[in-house]
């Protein structure tokens, strides 16, 4: 067995490379927040139930609270901090503002990363389908209607009801 | 929450050696169940063996006899949206997509899905007895909060339910689980993979401690035209089933040539009753016949109080799912679970 419990890993987060010495039981969520100080990604439940910790990893939306950082060695990750293009907000971010798609804002980073992942997957056409494929992101303020409105606006070619 | 060692292996042989080097070692695939249980202090692995680097377990392969082999490490989402699965086994796609959330389905593996533990509240609370967690400690669900618990195949030691959606479809499709151990490989018919609690509720299935799931085979069939997965739960999405039904038929006009009905959320394993399926063979597809079949499937069902409602709910769900399976409108992509 290895003598040191520390693992050297490399993560590319928001197009920047980071080398980290990390204990194997540290979640990707804690590594992002506590080690890389990228606190945009939120910890809601820490058990896979709320979606607040959603990030894009190698092109797919995943839950960073149920991922071990050590298992993401070599991965490319986008967090909410990497969504805008410099000072130009992403269309989804603009749409969230326009549609009042938040109140406290705690679920918003996860909602936006999840919506980005969903748009890339390209499986949702109708509003019903968008709601279904966004159901892994809870909003306890109840801003859901605005969230779906914002996503529907950005989604091209969809059925906007 | 304990500290653990971590090891990544890239072959089946070395991964088996690693996990068998320590009796408190476990594989980690998608991590969506084992990390959750570890955080709740329900499981305390000393060593996690990461199997995600085993490339040979990451493919979906068409077999010569017309069947399909799902590698144990293929993600649930990749399986559900795979063109071959959508075409040959749309029931499986539908069941997978009824489970968890998009993020979790992107992480969860097909092998891991079979091995997820129960969601019984007492199992999840390390401060109370639970025969599944601590054999011999008792089962508070028997006379306690048991709204989500089993109505079929119970024992006086455990009334937990197995929570998977994917596995309900796999039961209906008569999948075969291929496993590898130190002494070679073996294949387990799906009906024999998960087990009833009996007096050993700590064992969810018949996989041995020293074995690994390598793949799941789907036999060739003609159940892709008339099928449905109906999942009833406390909210419309992102919740475990109270009762779910996988139904699929081979039809000749209005006559049933072959029927498959499997239930989720009602027992310690996906529930099938081949007698009910035999009864439907050669019968006309009517609600009356489906009701007789439903009574058959639920023969011996017993509630424990809060879960009594599951018996009539399951009866109606079976009839409705069978009717839905006949109706192509319920099978269009994105169709909701209603008629
Ligand atoms: C909030 C939430 C909601 C959910 N809702 C649903 C739902 O509605 N329906 C549903 O069906 N599921 C649901 N799930 C469960 C989810 O589907 C499972 O957690 C997932 O399928 C497990 O797969 P995994 O690859 O992540 O397993 P892991 O967590 O990696 O492993 C699970 C177990 O299997 C073992 N293991 C993994 N792979 C192998 C292998 N190849 N051979 C031998 N042993 C192996 C591990 O050692 C571990 O004991 C939900 C999960 C969460 C967190
Ligand atoms: S913090 Fe990860 S899902 Fe809630
Ligand atoms: S805006 Fe407050 S939780 Fe969604």
């Amino acid at each position: 067995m290895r003598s040191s419990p520390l693992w050297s890993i490399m993560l590319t987060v928001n197009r920047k490379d980071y080398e980290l010495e990390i204990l194997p039981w540290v979640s990707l969520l804690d590594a992002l927040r506590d080690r890389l100080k990228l606190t945009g990604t939120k910890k809601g439940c820490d058990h896979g139930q709320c979606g607040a910790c959603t990030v894009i990893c190698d092109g797919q939306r995943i839950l960073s609270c149920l991922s071990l950082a050590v298992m993401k060695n070599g991965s490319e990750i986008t967090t909410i901090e990497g969504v805008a293009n410099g000072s130009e907000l992403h269309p989804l971010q603009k749409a969230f503002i326009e549609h009042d798609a938040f109140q406290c804002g705690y679920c918003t980073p996860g909602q936006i990363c999840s919506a980005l992942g969903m748009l890339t997957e390209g499986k949702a056409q109708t509003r019903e389908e968008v709601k279904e494929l966004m159901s892994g992101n809870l909003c306890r303020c109840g801003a859901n209607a605005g969230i779906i409105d914002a996503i529907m606006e950005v989604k091209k070619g969809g059925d906007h009801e | 929450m304990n500290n653990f060692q971590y090891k990544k292996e890239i072959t089946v042989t070395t991964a088996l050696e690693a996990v068998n080097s320590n009796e408190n070692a476990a594989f980690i695939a998608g991590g969506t169940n084992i990390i959750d249980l570890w955080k709740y202090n329900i499981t305390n692995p000393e060593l996690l063996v990461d199997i995600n680097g085993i490339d040979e377990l990451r493919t979906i392969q068409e077999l010569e006899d017309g069947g399909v082999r799902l590698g144990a490490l293929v993600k649930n989402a990749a399986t559900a949206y795979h063109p071959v699965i959508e075409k040959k086994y749309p029931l499986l796609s539908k069941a997978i997509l009824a489970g968890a959330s998009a993020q979790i389905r992107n992480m969860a593996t097909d092998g891991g899905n079979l091995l997820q533990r129960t969601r019984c509240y007492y199992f999840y609370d390390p401060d109370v007895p639970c025969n599944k967690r601590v054999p011999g400690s008792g089962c508070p669900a028997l006379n306690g909060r048991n709204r989500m618990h089993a109505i079929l195949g119970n024992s006086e030691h455990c009334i937990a339910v197995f929570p998977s959606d994917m596995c309900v479809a796999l039961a209906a499709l008569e999948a075969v689980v291929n496993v590898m151990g130190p002494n070679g490989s073996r294949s387990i018919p799906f009906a024999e993979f998960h087990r009833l609690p009996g007096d050993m509720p700590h064992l969810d299935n018949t996989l041995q401690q020293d074995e690994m799931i390598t793949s799941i085979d789907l036999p060739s069939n003609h159940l892709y035209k008339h099928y449905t997965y109906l999942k009833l739960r406390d909210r419309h999405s992102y919740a475990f089933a109270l009762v779910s039904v996988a139904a699929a038929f081979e039809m000749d006009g209005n006559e049933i040539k072959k029927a498959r009905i499997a239930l989720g959320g009602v027992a310690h394993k996906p529930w099938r009753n081949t007698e009910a399926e035999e009864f439907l063979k050669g019968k006309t597809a009517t609600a009356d016949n489906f009701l007789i079949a439903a009574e058959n499937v639920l023969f011996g069902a017993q509630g424990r109080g809060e879960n009594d409602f599951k018996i009539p709910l399951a009866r109606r769900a079976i009839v409705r799912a069978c009717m839905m399976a006949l109706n192509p409108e319920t099978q269009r992509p994105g169709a909701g679970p209603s008629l």
Side-chain angles (χ1 to χ4, degrees):
Chain A
M1 204 52 48
R2 297 157 53 89
S3 51
S4 160
L6 281 172
W7 284 76
S8 301
I9 64 164
M10 235 243 329
L11 296 176
T12 306
V13 184
N14 304 329
R15 294 171 294 281
K16 202 171 147 198
D17 293 341
Y18 296 89
E19 272 177 50
L20 280 176
E21 296 276 307
I22 205 143
L23 292 161
W25 51 85
V26 175
S27 69
L28 177 60
L29 175 60
D30 287 346
L32 290 170
R33 289 181 54 87
D34 299 343
R35 297 291 298 278
L36 305 185
K37 305 296 174 199
L38 293 169
T39 52
T41 307
K42 299 294 185 252
K43 184 183 286 193
C45 63
D46 212 22
H47 286 282
Q49 299 176 357
C50 75
C53 66
T54 304
V55 299
I56 313 272
C57 177
D58 298 324
Q60 296 212 301
R61 49 176 165 161
I62 63 157
L63 300 176
S64 58
C65 71
L66 292 185
S67 305
L68 296 178
V70 67
M71 288 173 69
K72 296 300 170 195
N73 185 16
S75 287
E76 211 170 292
I77 290 153
T78 303
T79 67
I80 191 65
E81 289 92 342
V83 168
N85 184 5
S87 59
E88 175 71 10
L89 290 183
H90 188 280
L92 208 48
Q93 292 173 306
K94 287 186 197 160
F96 264 62
I97 295 171
E98 212 164 287
H99 289 275
D100 259 342
F102 40 73
Q103 290 180 40
C104 78
Y106 199 81
C107 71
T108 315
Q111 298 278 5
I112 290 182
C113 287
S114 184
L116 282 172
M118 187 198 65
L119 293 171
T120 313
E121 287 158 15
K123 299 295 179 191
Q125 304 309 326
T126 63
R127 187 181 176 97
E128 270 314 302
E129 288 164 9
V130 168
K131 279 163 74 176
E132 169 60 31
L133 292 180
M134 285 297 296
S135 70
N137 293 82
L138 307 188
C139 174
R140 59 180 290 179
C141 295
N144 305 70
I147 292 168
I148 305 298
D149 288 343
I151 298 170
M152 289 310 288
E153 183 186 309
V154 172
K155 218 181 100 52
K156 293 186 193 70
D159 168 8
H160 291 239
E161 285 187 337
Chain B
M1 235 155 97
N2 61 294
N3 297 346
F4 52 76
Q5 304 254 12
Y6 167 83
K7 212 169 182 194
K8 180 163 185 156
E9 293 295 349
I10 57 167
T11 69
V12 173
T13 317
T14 51
L16 279 169
E17 277 167 16
V19 97
N20 291 329
S21 70
N22 180 330
E23 64 176 71
N24 290 316
F27 296 120
I28 180 165
T32 60
N33 195 221
I34 197 165
I35 296 294
D36 185 37
L37 292 168
W38 163 72
K39 285 185 180 184
Y40 278 119
N41 224 3
I42 308 300
T43 186
N44 307 104
E46 282 171 17
L47 165 69
L48 285 184
V49 179
D50 178 357
I51 54 177
N52 288 284
I54 309 179
D55 286 334
E56 61 184 278
L57 305 187
R58 298 162 61 117
T59 55
I60 292 184
Q61 211 186 322
E62 287 192 78
L63 302 172
E64 269 175 25
D65 63 4
V68 170
R69 175 163 295 169
L70 308 172
L73 292 171
V74 180
K75 302 292 185 186
N76 286 178
T79 307
Y81 292 127
H82 195 284
V84 172
I85 302 302
E86 284 182 328
K87 182 163 162 253
K88 291 186 167 177
Y89 307 100
L91 172 65
L92 180 60
S93 293
K94 207 153 182 159
I96 292 174
L97 295 177
S101 68
Q103 290 96 316
I104 293 169
R105 295 191 296 265
N106 279 343
M107 303 168 73
T109 63
D110 291 349
N113 194 303
L114 272 58
L115 300 171
Q116 61 177 294
R117 309 297 313 271
T118 184
R119 294 274 160 174
C120 169
Y121 343 103
Y122 299 104
F123 174 76
Y124 258 88
D125 182 351
D127 294 330
V128 301
C130 166
N131 283 330
K132 188 175 270 304
R133 191 164 25 74
V134 183
S137 61
C139 174
L142 285 173
N143 299 307
R145 310 316 305 251
N146 49 34
R147 183 169 181 274
M148 64 182 282
H149 288 77
I151 51 171
L152 285 159
N154 288 336
S155 77
E156 71 267 36
H157 303 286
C158 179
I159 55 170
V161 301
F162 176 59
S164 166
D165 291 295
M166 177 182 187
C167 291
V168 183
L170 291 176
L173 294 167
E174 295 194 339
V176 175
V177 187
N178 299 313
V179 311
M180 182 69 91
N183 305 318
S185 62
R186 64 188 181 109
S187 297
I188 311 168
F190 210 76
E192 289 161 32
F193 187 79
H194 296 100
R195 55 186 296 287
L196 290 177
D199 57 2
M200 290 194 292
H202 61 289
L203 299 176
D204 295 346
N205 52 60
T206 54
L207 187 76
Q208 300 300 305
Q209 172 78 32
D210 58 2
E211 291 177 320
M212 177 196 283
I213 298 178
T214 51
S215 62
I216 301 146
D217 285 354
L218 299 164
S220 171
N221 65 40
H222 294 91
L223 300 166
Y224 48 77
K225 257 187 157 164
H226 302 284
Y227 64 88
T228 208
Y229 186 70
L230 175 64
K231 181 175 180 183
L232 303 177
R233 43 188 155 170
D234 281 330
R235 60 183 182 205
H236 192 61
S237 184
Y238 203 18
F240 286 93
L242 287 166
V243 169
S244 71
V245 185
F249 300 108
E250 247 182 70
M251 300 293 296
D252 184 0
N254 203 27
E255 184 187 313
I256 299 166
K257 280 178 67 186
K258 187 192 261 183
R260 295 278 174 80
I261 299 170
L263 303 191
V266 297
H268 198 258
K269 61 186 286 190
W271 192 262
R272 245 185 99 196
N273 180 329
T274 47
E275 269 175 45
E277 297 173 5
E278 275 305 310
F279 162 78
L280 286 173
K281 215 165 148 177
K283 298 279 191 314
T284 319
T286 61
D288 288 345
N289 280 331
F290 292 140
L291 184 59
I292 299 173
E295 299 286 3
N296 231 320
V297 173
L298 293 169
F299 180 77
Q302 228 175 358
R304 299 279 323 184
E306 289 183 354
N307 67 348
D308 291 348
F309 74 99
K310 281 192 178 187
I311 300 172
L313 184 68
R315 185 187 306 120
R316 292 190 209 114
I318 294 169
V319 176
R320 179 160 149 212
C322 290
M323 294 304 286
M324 283 170 68
L326 300 175
N327 183 345
E329 184 53 24
T330 64
Q331 287 140 37
R332 88 191 134 75
S338 57
L339 259 183

